[in-house]
Protein backbone atom coordinates (compact mmCIF):
# COMPACT_ATOMS: atom_id res chain seq x y z
CA UNK A 1 0.00 0.00 0.00
CA UNK A 2 1.48 3.32 -1.05
CA UNK A 3 0.26 6.06 1.28
CA UNK A 4 0.73 9.76 0.56
CA UNK A 5 0.35 11.54 3.91
CA UNK A 6 1.65 14.85 5.19
CA UNK A 7 2.21 16.12 8.71
CA UNK A 8 1.30 12.83 10.40
CA UNK A 9 2.76 10.82 13.24
CA UNK A 10 2.94 7.08 13.87
CA UNK A 11 -0.55 6.96 15.41
CA UNK A 12 -2.07 8.54 12.26
CA UNK A 13 -0.44 5.94 10.00
CA UNK A 14 -1.57 3.09 12.25
CA UNK A 15 -5.12 4.48 12.42
CA UNK A 16 -5.44 4.71 8.61
CA UNK A 17 -4.10 1.19 8.17
CA UNK A 18 -6.36 -0.28 10.88
CA UNK A 19 -9.45 1.26 9.29
CA UNK A 20 -8.30 0.02 5.86
CA UNK A 21 -7.82 -3.52 7.22
CA UNK A 22 -11.22 -3.37 8.93
CA UNK A 23 -12.87 -2.42 5.62
CA UNK A 24 -10.88 -4.99 3.62
CA UNK A 25 -11.73 -7.91 5.96
CA UNK A 26 -15.43 -6.96 6.01
CA UNK A 27 -15.72 -6.70 2.23
CA UNK A 28 -13.49 -9.61 1.28
CA UNK A 29 -14.47 -12.33 3.79
CA UNK A 30 -17.24 -10.84 5.92
CA UNK A 31 -15.22 -10.65 9.13
CA UNK A 32 -15.69 -7.73 11.52
CA UNK A 33 -12.33 -6.60 12.85
CA UNK A 34 -12.55 -4.77 16.17
CA UNK A 35 -10.50 -1.60 16.48
CA UNK A 36 -8.01 -0.85 17.75
CA UNK A 37 -6.13 -3.95 16.62
CA UNK A 38 -3.98 -5.27 19.50
CA UNK A 39 -0.38 -4.12 19.24
CA UNK A 40 2.90 -5.42 20.47
CA UNK A 41 6.22 -3.81 21.04
CA UNK A 42 9.23 -4.79 18.96
CA UNK A 43 10.57 -6.57 22.06
CA UNK A 44 7.42 -8.73 22.19
CA UNK A 45 7.68 -9.44 18.47
CA UNK A 46 11.33 -10.34 18.92
CA UNK A 47 10.45 -12.68 21.78
CA UNK A 48 7.79 -14.44 19.74
CA UNK A 49 10.07 -14.71 16.74
CA UNK A 50 12.99 -15.91 18.83
CA UNK A 51 13.98 -19.40 17.77
CA UNK A 52 14.72 -20.29 21.39
CA UNK A 53 11.33 -19.11 22.57
CA UNK A 54 9.57 -20.90 19.70
CA UNK A 55 11.45 -24.09 20.55
CA UNK A 56 10.42 -23.80 24.20
CA UNK A 57 6.79 -23.14 23.23
CA UNK A 58 6.78 -26.12 20.84
CA UNK A 59 7.98 -28.36 23.65
CA UNK A 60 5.34 -26.91 25.97
CA UNK A 61 2.47 -27.19 23.46
CA UNK A 62 3.41 -30.79 22.59
CA UNK A 63 3.48 -31.91 26.22
CA UNK A 64 7.26 -32.28 26.49
CA UNK A 65 7.36 -30.33 29.73
CA UNK A 66 10.89 -31.38 30.64
CA UNK A 67 12.20 -29.90 27.37
CA UNK A 68 10.11 -26.76 27.85
CA UNK A 69 11.41 -26.35 31.40
CA UNK A 70 15.00 -26.57 30.20
CA UNK A 71 14.50 -23.99 27.44
CA UNK A 72 12.45 -21.57 29.57
CA UNK A 73 14.98 -21.83 32.39
CA UNK A 74 17.72 -20.82 29.96
CA UNK A 75 15.66 -17.93 28.62
CA UNK A 76 14.64 -16.84 32.14
CA UNK A 77 18.28 -16.79 33.20
CA UNK A 78 18.90 -13.95 30.70
CA UNK A 79 15.62 -12.30 31.74
CA UNK A 80 13.90 -12.91 28.41
CA UNK A 81 10.36 -11.50 28.68
CA UNK A 82 7.68 -13.96 29.87
CA UNK A 83 10.19 -16.79 30.16
CA UNK A 84 10.02 -16.88 33.95
CA UNK A 85 6.21 -17.08 33.80
CA UNK A 86 6.32 -19.76 31.12
CA UNK A 87 8.88 -21.64 33.19
CA UNK A 88 6.39 -21.70 36.09
CA UNK A 89 3.60 -22.82 33.75
CA UNK A 90 5.76 -25.58 32.27
CA UNK A 91 6.72 -26.84 35.73
CA UNK A 92 3.08 -26.85 36.79
CA UNK A 93 2.03 -28.61 33.58
CA UNK A 94 4.73 -31.24 34.13
CA UNK A 95 3.54 -31.77 37.70
CA UNK A 96 -0.07 -32.05 36.53
CA UNK A 97 0.90 -34.54 33.82
CA UNK A 98 2.85 -36.66 36.32
CA UNK A 99 -0.12 -36.66 38.72
CA UNK A 100 -2.47 -37.68 35.91
CA UNK A 101 -0.11 -40.49 34.86
CA UNK A 102 0.15 -41.71 38.46
CA UNK A 103 -3.63 -41.67 38.82
CA UNK A 104 -4.04 -43.60 35.56
CA UNK A 105 -1.46 -46.16 36.74
CA UNK A 106 -3.27 -46.49 40.08
CA UNK A 107 -6.61 -47.07 38.33
CA UNK A 108 -5.04 -49.66 36.02
CA UNK A 109 -3.50 -51.42 39.04
CA UNK A 110 -6.84 -51.45 40.84
CA UNK A 111 -8.48 -52.98 37.77
CA UNK A 112 -5.78 -55.67 37.63
CA UNK A 113 -6.20 -56.27 41.35
CA UNK A 114 -9.95 -56.73 40.89
CA UNK A 115 -9.28 -59.15 38.03
CA UNK A 116 -6.80 -61.07 40.20
CA UNK A 117 -9.40 -61.27 42.99
CA UNK A 118 -11.95 -62.61 40.49
CA UNK A 119 -9.44 -65.26 39.38
CA UNK A 120 -8.88 -66.27 43.02
CA UNK A 121 -12.64 -66.57 43.51
CA UNK A 122 -12.73 -68.87 40.47
CA UNK A 123 -9.88 -70.94 41.89
CA UNK A 124 -7.41 -69.87 39.19
CA UNK A 125 -4.51 -69.18 41.54
CA UNK A 126 -1.87 -69.42 38.82
CA UNK A 127 -3.59 -66.75 36.72
CA UNK A 128 -3.95 -64.51 39.77
CA UNK A 129 -0.29 -64.98 40.69
CA UNK A 130 0.83 -64.00 37.19
CA UNK A 131 -1.25 -60.81 37.32
CA UNK A 132 -0.10 -59.93 40.81
CA UNK A 133 3.58 -60.45 40.01
CA UNK A 134 3.21 -57.86 37.21
CA UNK A 135 2.26 -55.31 39.87
CA UNK A 136 5.38 -55.61 42.00
CA UNK A 137 5.36 -51.89 42.95
CA UNK A 138 1.71 -51.84 44.05
CA UNK A 139 1.54 -52.64 47.77
CA UNK A 140 -2.03 -54.04 47.93
CA UNK A 141 -1.15 -56.45 45.13
CA UNK A 142 1.89 -57.74 47.00
CA UNK A 143 -0.17 -58.43 50.11
CA UNK A 144 -2.71 -60.34 48.02
CA UNK A 145 0.09 -62.18 46.19
CA UNK A 146 1.37 -63.69 49.45
CA UNK A 147 -2.16 -64.72 50.38
CA UNK A 148 -2.84 -66.27 46.97
CA UNK A 149 0.44 -68.16 47.01
CA UNK A 150 -0.44 -69.55 50.44
CA UNK A 151 -3.90 -70.58 49.19
CA UNK A 152 -2.35 -72.26 46.15
CA UNK A 153 0.05 -74.24 48.34
CA UNK A 154 -2.78 -75.17 50.69
CA UNK A 155 -4.85 -76.40 47.74
CA UNK A 156 -1.92 -78.46 46.45
CA UNK A 157 -1.39 -79.92 49.93
CA UNK A 158 -5.10 -80.70 50.27
CA UNK A 159 -5.15 -82.40 46.85
CA UNK A 160 -2.10 -84.45 47.75
CA UNK A 161 -3.67 -85.53 51.05
CA UNK A 162 -6.88 -86.47 49.25
CA UNK A 163 -4.91 -88.60 46.76
CA UNK A 164 -3.09 -90.20 49.69
CA UNK A 165 -6.31 -91.06 51.48
CA UNK A 166 -7.81 -92.52 48.31
CA UNK A 167 -4.67 -94.56 47.80
CA UNK A 168 -4.81 -95.82 51.41
CA UNK A 169 -8.38 -96.94 50.90
CA UNK A 170 -7.40 -98.69 47.70
CA UNK A 171 -4.04 -100.13 48.82
CA UNK A 172 -3.09 -100.08 52.54
CA UNK A 173 0.59 -100.54 51.68
CA UNK A 174 0.76 -96.84 50.65
CA UNK A 175 2.72 -95.12 53.41
CA UNK A 176 3.24 -91.53 52.30
CA UNK A 177 2.62 -88.95 49.61
CA UNK A 178 5.60 -87.11 48.20
CA UNK A 179 5.76 -83.92 46.12
CA UNK A 180 5.56 -85.87 42.87
CA UNK A 181 3.17 -88.63 43.72
CA UNK A 182 2.66 -91.69 45.88
CA UNK A 183 5.43 -93.63 47.60
CA UNK A 184 4.67 -97.33 48.10
CA UNK A 185 6.31 -99.23 50.94
CA UNK A 186 6.13 -102.97 51.05
CA UNK A 187 7.00 -105.15 54.01
CA UNK A 188 8.77 -108.22 52.76
Amino acid sequence: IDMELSFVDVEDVIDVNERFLQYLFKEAIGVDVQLPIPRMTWQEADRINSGYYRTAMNYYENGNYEGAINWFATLASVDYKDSADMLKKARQAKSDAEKAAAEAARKAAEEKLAKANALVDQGDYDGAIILLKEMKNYEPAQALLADVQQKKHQRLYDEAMERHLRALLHDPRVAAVGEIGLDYHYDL
Side-chain angles (χ1 to χ4, degrees):
I1 300 170
D2 182 19
M3 298 173 56
E4 299 291 332
L5 302 169
S6 300
F7 307 107
V8 295
D9 60 15
V10 172
E11 289 302 317
D12 294 328
V13 174
I14 291 174
D15 178 58
V16 168
N17 279 289
E18 282 183 337
R19 287 185 289 120
F20 173 68
L21 287 171
Q22 184 183 40
Y23 172 79
L24 185 65
F25 272 75
K26 180 67 174 171
E27 294 299 314
I29 58 175
V31 172
D32 287 322
V33 174
Q34 298 299 314
L35 298 182
I37 295 173
R39 300 180 192 175
M40 66 176 68
T41 65
W42 71 267
Q43 292 95 341
E44 290 171 317
D46 179 56
R47 175 185 55 82
I48 289 171
N49 289 324
S50 160
Y52 295 121
Y53 192 84
R54 273 198 317 266
T55 299
M57 285 303 293
N58 282 338
Y59 278 123
Y60 181 79
E61 290 166 356
N62 291 314
N64 181 344
Y65 303 118
E66 193 64 39
I69 288 169
N70 292 336
W71 280 99
F72 285 128
T74 300
L75 292 168
S77 70
V78 293
D79 203 27
Y80 206 69
K81 186 172 180 146
D82 276 355
S83 295
D85 290 337
M86 286 306 300
L87 177 59
K88 288 177 190 172
K89 286 182 183 178
R91 285 182 175 149
Q92 183 60 50
K94 178 184 177 194
S95 173
D96 293 345
E98 288 171 347
K99 287 177 187 172
E103 179 63 18
R106 186 190 61 76
K107 284 183 180 179
E110 285 179 358
E111 288 172 9
K112 268 189 178 179
L113 191 59
K115 188 175 180 181
N117 274 317
L119 290 172
V120 168
D121 292 343
Q122 297 166 10
D124 183 2
Y125 298 118
D126 292 327
I129 288 170
I130 290 169
L131 271 180
L132 294 168
K133 282 185 176 180
E134 290 174 4
M135 299 186 293
K136 55 184 148 197
N137 294 331
Y138 190 59
E139 227 174 277
Q142 294 311 299
L144 181 60
L145 177 60
D147 186 48
V148 171
Q149 287 173 329
Q150 180 186 5
K151 285 181 181 178
K152 177 185 174 184
H153 292 309
Q154 183 65 46
R155 183 182 70 185
L156 291 173
Y157 174 79
D158 292 346
E159 288 172 359
M161 288 305 295
E162 184 179 329
R163 281 194 310 268
H164 176 68
L165 291 174
R166 276 197 218 133
L168 278 174
L169 291 173
H170 180 62
D171 186 348
R173 295 173 293 172
V174 175
V177 176
E179 279 288 318
I180 302 171
L182 301 176
D183 291 331
Y184 289 89
H185 294 274
Y186 297 95
D187 291 327
L188 297 176

